[in-house]
Amino acid sequence: MSAYLFVHFREKITPDGEQVHFALSRDGFQWESVNHGLPVLWTYYGSRGARDFTICRCKATGKFCIIATDLSLAYGMRNEFHHSWEEISRHGSRQLSIWESDDLVNWSEQRLLSIGLEQFGCMWAPDVIYDRASDDYVLHWSSSHCADDYRRKAIYYSRTKDFVSFTAPQLLYQKADSGVIDSAMYEENGQYYLFVKSEGNPEKIILLRSDSAAGPFERVHAFDESMAVCQSGLYEAPTAIRLDDGRWCLFIDYYGVRGKGQGYVPFVADSLSSGQFRRYDAARADGKADQEAAFSFPYGFKHGTILAITQEEYDRIRNHDWQGDQFEVNP
């Protein structure tokens, strides 16, 4: 039976929110914070903030890799970007942050991945999927581009086997009538499914499907019906995990209020191919409590990724002295 690790950040106005946070679950439904809700890893380079995490196990190296957006609103939004998302879209970091580990508790120091193009205005929300056909990893993210004066973001990708060497970025998916951000890709029965946040028409999460991890992708329109319960313009950052019983649990990040009310809302489906997800918590949009709902979060998790882990790995993370890691033993 699997357990689960959720790597995420916290939406706070102080810099400790935009660091690496862990949470654990034995079933994917009830979650507990690691390190008392404090960061388990910190950023010291680039923007000194990290958001929008993904995590994977690298087959070639045997290492776990965490990759994140190099962005700090606590520092950068106030200073270099003058409280403007427009400025971040045009002049944000074209690097990503990465940490590596053999055991999920002892991590390398942050390093920066410089795989962006000068034509990009930013690199946001990385996600990783293993491509069976080419035996490598597809790292994808959203960027604005100078070709349209940084107006509409699209999804780009690069390939790697070891998370050290990367191919030149290529376009993965571009929506004709709006920008897209926050891509998350999963494989089911040889098909690849790509969740993205559409920034218009509709301003909601959409689902796409392809025979290849590199596309081309087509819309799964049944998923649009599943998203009818979500108000436009208030949800982003999809992330999903396949549960032990074969069902898929999709979490989408609600940001429609300030502060404490933000965080992930769960949806469950029997398969990705059906596109039919139903909201699965006690506060559904129709006002009816789901009798099966058993999701619990200690606070509002923000944009992250879930990794299936073993019970041994679960115990190791849960019992690790993360506070002790804050002190340098051998200076």
Side-chain angles (χ1 to χ4, degrees), residues 179-294:
V180 286
I181 61 172
D182 295 357
S183 55
M185 195 187 311
Y186 306 92
E187 186 268 337
E188 180 186 69
N189 298 327
Q191 296 277 297
Y192 290 87
Y193 293 85
L194 181 67
F195 294 94
V196 297
K197 177 190 175 181
S198 169
E199 296 190 309
N201 308 308
E203 193 177 355
K204 294 186 178 185
I205 309 300
I206 62 173
L207 177 60
L208 307 134
R209 175 172 50 214
S210 176
D211 294 331
S212 166
F217 290 90
E218 61 181 8
R219 286 276 292 275
V220 179
H221 290 287
F223 183 74
D224 296 345
E225 300 171 11
S226 300
M227 292 293 99
V229 299
C230 296
Q231 187 175 347
S232 295
L234 300 182
Y235 295 85
E236 61 186 4
T239 191
I241 189 68
R242 195 166 200 173
L243 303 173
D244 277 346
D245 62 10
R247 292 181 299 169
W248 286 88
C249 184
L250 170 68
F251 296 90
I252 59 174
D253 189 348
Y254 172 68
Y255 61 95
V257 296
R258 291 178 61 87
K260 189 176 180 180
Q262 296 189 24
Y264 274 104
V265 174
F267 292 75
V268 171
D270 291 332
S271 67
L272 295 179
S273 59
S274 72
Q276 297 177 353
F277 285 76
R278 68 185 179 97
R279 186 162 174 169
Y280 206 81
D281 63 1
R284 296 191 333 200
D286 59 10
K288 298 178 181 179
D290 195 321
Q291 296 302 312
E292 298 179 273

Side-chain angles (χ1 to χ4, degrees), residues 22 33-42 317-318 320-324 326:
F22 282 0
S33 62
V34 172
N35 195 26
H36 310 288
L38 299 172
V40 299
L41 295 169
W42 285 77
I317 295 169
R318 194 171 191 272
H320 184 68
D321 179 13
W322 296 98
Q323 290 294 306
Q326 306 300 316

Side-chain angles (χ1 to χ4, degrees), residues 2 5 50 72 75 87 90 140 183 186 214 241 256 276:
S2 296
L5 169 65
S72 170
Y75 291 128
E87 288 196 29
R90 289 174 175 269
H140 51 101
S183 55
Y186 306 92
I241 189 68
Q276 297 177 353

